[in-house]
Amino acid sequence: MRTQNSWLLLGLLSKLGSTTPVANSSLAKGATTFTNPILWEDYPDLDVFRVGDVFYYSSSTFAFSPGAPILKSYDLVNWTPVSHSVPTLNFGSKYNLNSATDRAYVKGIWASTLRHRASNDQFYWIGCVESSKTYVYTTGSSGAGKNSGEVSSWDWKQKATLNKCYYDCGMLFDDDDTIYVAYGNSKIMVAQLNADASAEVKSQQVYVDPAGAYIEGSRMYNINGTYYIFVTKPASAEWVLKSTSPWGPYEKKVLVDSISGPLPNAGYSHQGGIVNTKDNKWYYVAFLDSYPGGRIPVAAPLTWSPDGWPTLVKDGNAWGKTYPMPVQTTKTVPAPVGTDTFNGTALSNDWEWNHNPDTTKFKLLGGTAGLQLSTATVTTDLFTARNTLTHRILGPKSSGTFALDISAMADGDHAGAVLFRDVAAYIGIHKSSSSAHLVFVTNVTLNSNWATQSTGTVAATGPALSSGTTDVWLRVQADITPAFSGTAVQRTATFWYSVDGSRFVQLGNAFPMTNSYTFFTGYRFGVFNFATKALGGRVVVKSFSMQLV
Ligand SMILES: *[C@@H]1O[C@H](CO)[C@@H](O)[C@H](O)[C@H]1NC(C)=O
Ligand SMILES: *[C@@H]1O[C@H](CO)[C@@H](O)[C@H](O)[C@H]1NC(C)=O
Ligand SMILES: *[C@@H]1O[C@H](CO)[C@@H](O)[C@H](O)[C@H]1NC(C)=O
Ligand SMILES: *[C@@H]1O[C@H](CO)[C@@H](O)[C@H](O)[C@H]1NC(C)=O
């Protein structure tokens, strides 16, 4: 189990990198090199693999819902979210954010695993929740096997629950279709599952460090008949375990240990997994502790020795900032920036709710009419209010602007744009029967047990909006350049409003963000609407726009 003390120690062990920050990771078509990070967004605990022409990437999401997002890429560098493996967090009632004492902050989906199974063309996701149960989710026949990796239908369903924890697991569909799962912390275990992944056949310990190092984050591969388990020694190193049998014995070599780069003031690149291109060039994709922004993916090529050990291609002694482009292709994915008018039949995969939402309290209105958020909870506590909708922040600096129709807010309702994390702040509307007050609220804070410490302090007020006001634009602008180690600087966010959609006015002072890792998820943009008196009010989110600044 990952204790707070062990992570505190690991945090102290992290140290400063030495290269310069990257301003822009997006690439012109036909680029021959790429720049790390490959996607400057909080997608931690990654598992990466390829089906045909398409790379897939799975990530952890704690108590955000839907959980375990899946991203796709054609070149390993440009990524877009396309699905979530866990449509609803069916892990117990606290995942519905029932009350101030019945909620699941920092619980839920930790490091988990996603793979495509060639024999039945289904995707499988496996994850342990709260160190007790392991959940298996699968798609139907996806179409990917017959169409170069392109999925025609995801259709994720909960398939099985196992009454044991495959902590930080990594799945392998072996060449003979046997299912193995490597897992565990300190003691690395391998389990064999039955043919439909609904029960364990056998499990045994395969590796423990003779010197007693804490290791976790298993990823398992069979490459040319040799078995590999990649594990991390958090939060600084990645080890490779290699054997001729899935059951061991495994020999160990160090892939990376405390190498600097590619960004300064971040942690060390570690954990993650490996993947090859169609022409068999291998890459290691790790993540970098980049608080306040969370944990972001970085990639580097691997070479192999004749006896089957991988070596990371470095830039001097550091993780490189730029490397040759893994794949040249004309296929593209949408850029992470842009405007969402909520015009689909479902929310895009960029969005995740804080805990499972009350599905009776939100509605896509159709066309470009927007997303209606009715108040779902009577509370004074944003952390207890259901249906806060969140969106990852694009680094190094970006703004998120929500256009809101506030005309149907009710007396006592609080709605707005939040910079969401355990130390949060928001710009919003506090509605009374007579007026709508623009407020900037700071000190919205959870304590270290994730109980609400403070529901916030009004740090600034804007002009009272006239009763006829319908449209308000609320903007959060955040600098998530890493300030995790080697600096005392705290990055800041600023909060802005507009009543015409073009002239924005800053409200209050810049808000310093916490650089602590213990909440694990980095800061996010979010939009909320809760009642302090009675349900019945609503807002419409007409659009959301994220832009680099
Ligand atoms: C990022 O790079 C792309 C492609 O070269 C360019 O179109 C875009 O304007 C750049 N954005 C920023 C913020 O520099
Ligand atoms: C695996 O076998 C293929 C085909 O013989 C070879 O090209 C490749 O270098 C081998 N090793 C790895 C790590 O792919
Ligand atoms: C929503 O709007 C975007 C941007 O105009 C457009 O690309 C997309 O096709 C629209 N989606 C639907 C489902 O209408
Ligand atoms: C923040 O909230 C805590 C707990 O309620 C309180 O002790 C502290 O004074 C508040 N800080 C500010 C700046 O309002």
Side-chain angles (χ1 to χ4, degrees):
M1 194 180 317
R2 176 182 290 171
T3 65
Q4 294 225 345
N5 281 343
S6 74
W7 274 94
L8 187 61
L9 184 63
L10 300 167
L12 293 172
L13 293 174
S14 298
K15 90 177 205 356
L16 146 88
S18 65
T19 50
T20 48
V22 178
N24 188 347
S25 69
S26 67
L27 287 159
K29 256 189 208 164
T32 54
T33 60
F34 74 90
T35 303
N36 277 313
I38 49 177
L39 174 58
W40 200 322
E41 290 189 21
D42 184 23
Y43 281 107
D45 297 325
L46 61 105
D47 195 4
V48 62
F49 59 99
R50 180 176 55 80
V51 186
D53 291 336
V54 187
F55 297 96
Y56 288 101
Y57 179 133
S58 173
S59 176
S60 63
T61 34
F62 300 84
F64 292 95
S65 176
I70 304 167
L71 299 102
K72 77 184 270 192
S73 175
Y74 296 108
D75 55 16
L76 203 59
V77 171
N78 293 284
W79 293 91
T80 194
V82 290
S83 186
H84 285 83
S85 298
V86 181
T88 301
L89 311 182
N90 287 325
F91 311 142
S93 69
K94 62 168 148 330
Y95 290 88
N96 296 334
L97 193 49
N98 284 325
S99 72
T101 53
D102 191 21
R103 49 192 204 179
Y105 287 110
V106 194
K107 296 179 166 50
I109 294 171
W110 292 15
S112 43
T113 184
L114 173 73
R115 287 300 149 92
H116 175 257
R117 187 179 202 178
S119 63
N120 62 10
D121 199 22
Q122 294 179 305
F123 287 77
Y124 288 62
W125 177 91
I126 303 181
C128 165
V129 171
E130 291 182 56
S131 305
S132 64
K133 288 188 175 166
T134 298
Y135 295 86
V136 181
Y137 283 71
T138 60
T139 64
S141 184
S142 68
K146 291 200 177 73
N147 194 18
S148 311
E150 300 291 352
V151 169
S152 45
S153 165
W154 288 103
D155 193 23
W156 283 100
K157 292 207 167 61
Q158 197 176 86
K159 160 97 183 176
T161 306
L162 282 65
N163 279 320
K164 73 184 282 187
C165 177
Y166 293 154
Y167 180 93
D168 274 17
C169 56
M171 176 172 25
L172 167 68
F173 291 109
D174 207 354
D175 296 342
D176 65 1
D177 207 34
T178 303
I179 310 174
Y180 296 106
V181 178
Y183 66 96
N185 44 357
S186 295
K187 292 176 181 167
I188 300 302
M189 312 284 293
V190 168
Q192 180 184 331
L193 303 188
N194 66 356
D196 70 355
S198 62
E200 181 179 283
V201 172
K202 151 181 185 190
S203 159
Q204 77 180 45
Q205 183 179 310
V206 298
Y207 186 81
V208 58
D209 177 39
Y214 180 92
I215 49 178
E216 60 182 10
S218 293
R219 296 287 174 239
M220 191 173 182
Y221 309 93
N222 171 351
I223 302 172
N224 291 348
T226 300
Y227 292 86
Y228 294 87
I229 301 174
F230 282 61
V231 292
T232 189
K233 184 164 88 62
S236 58
E238 185 75 7
W239 292 1
V240 182
L241 310 179
K242 171 167 134 14
S243 177
T244 53
S245 158
W247 304 109
Y250 283 87
E251 293 176 88
K252 168 214 145 185
K253 285 202 175 174
V254 173
L255 182 66
V256 290
D257 190 354
S258 309
I259 67 166
S260 63
L263 296 182
N265 303 131
Y268 297 113
S269 300
H270 70 289
Q271 207 162 331
I274 64 169
V275 64
N276 68 348
T277 61
K278 268 178 125 172
D279 56 357
N280 206 38
K281 288 183 289 186
W282 284 86
Y283 287 82
Y284 171 39
V285 185
F287 65 73
L288 192 60
D289 295 284
S290 299
Y291 294 99
R295 293 174 286 166
I296 61 177
V298 292
L302 294 175
T303 58
W304 294 85
S305 70
D307 58 345
W309 290 100
T311 302
L312 191 89
V313 177
K314 294 183 204 166
D315 181 358
N317 289 320
W319 190 290
K321 205 169 74 174
T322 62
Y323 287 108
M325 199 66 187
V327 177
Q328 289 294 338
T329 174
T330 53
K331 294 184 187 176
T332 58
V333 296
V337 292
T339 300
D340 189 340
T341 56
F342 303 100
N343 59 336
T345 51
L347 287 170
S348 86
N349 286 289
D350 294 292
W351 297 102
E352 286 158 8
W353 303 93
N354 174 25
H355 293 65
N356 290 326
D358 179 342
T359 56
T360 68
K361 301 294 190 203
F362 73 89
K363 190 158 79 177
L364 287 160
L365 296 174
T368 55
L371 168 69
Q372 179 178 289
L373 293 179
S374 300
T375 51
T377 312
V378 181
T379 181
T380 55
D381 178 9
L382 175 76
F383 292 115
T384 298
R386 297 186 75 178
N387 292 16
T388 294
L389 185 62
T390 72
H391 191 290
R392 287 170 186 76
I393 298 173
L394 184 64
K397 299 175 190 176
S398 62
S399 66
T401 306
F402 294 92
L404 295 184
D405 177 339
I406 60 164
S407 57
M409 287 182 77
D411 181 26
D413 288 0
H414 291 183
V418 60
L419 179 73
F420 188 82
R421 210 184 175 220
D422 56 327
V423 179
Y426 69 79
I427 183 166
I429 306 292
H430 286 182
K431 174 75 178 167
S432 70
S433 51
S434 54
S435 66
H437 296 279
L438 266 168
V439 291
F440 172 49
V441 175
T442 60
N443 205 15
V444 186
T445 309
L446 296 174
N447 68 17
S448 56
N449 297 316
W450 319 124
T452 301
Q453 178 171 306
S454 166
T455 56
T457 307
V458 176
T461 51
L465 301 173
S466 65
S467 60
T469 305
T470 56
D471 292 332
V472 175
W473 287 258
L474 300 175
R475 174 176 293 169
V476 182
Q477 188 166 306
D479 177 0
I480 57 165
T481 306
F484 182 56
S485 66
T487 176
V489 164
Q490 269 185 289
R491 306 296 176 201
T492 60
T494 51
F495 294 76
W496 307 71
Y497 68 90
S498 171
V499 290
D500 62 9
S502 62
R503 185 175 163 269
F504 281 80
V505 178
Q506 188 181 342
L507 191 59
N509 297 324
F511 172 76
M513 292 182 269
T514 172
N515 304 327
S516 162
Y517 65 84
T518 53
F519 191 73
F520 290 106
T521 306
Y523 276 97
R524 292 184 173 194
F525 297 129
V527 60
F528 65 92
N529 182 27
F530 61 88
T532 66
K533 292 189 174 169
L535 300 185
R538 58 185 191 274
V539 297
V540 176
V541 189
K542 294 167 95 173
S543 68
F544 169 77
S545 179
M546 184 166 76
Q547 302 296 340
L548 281 169
V549 292

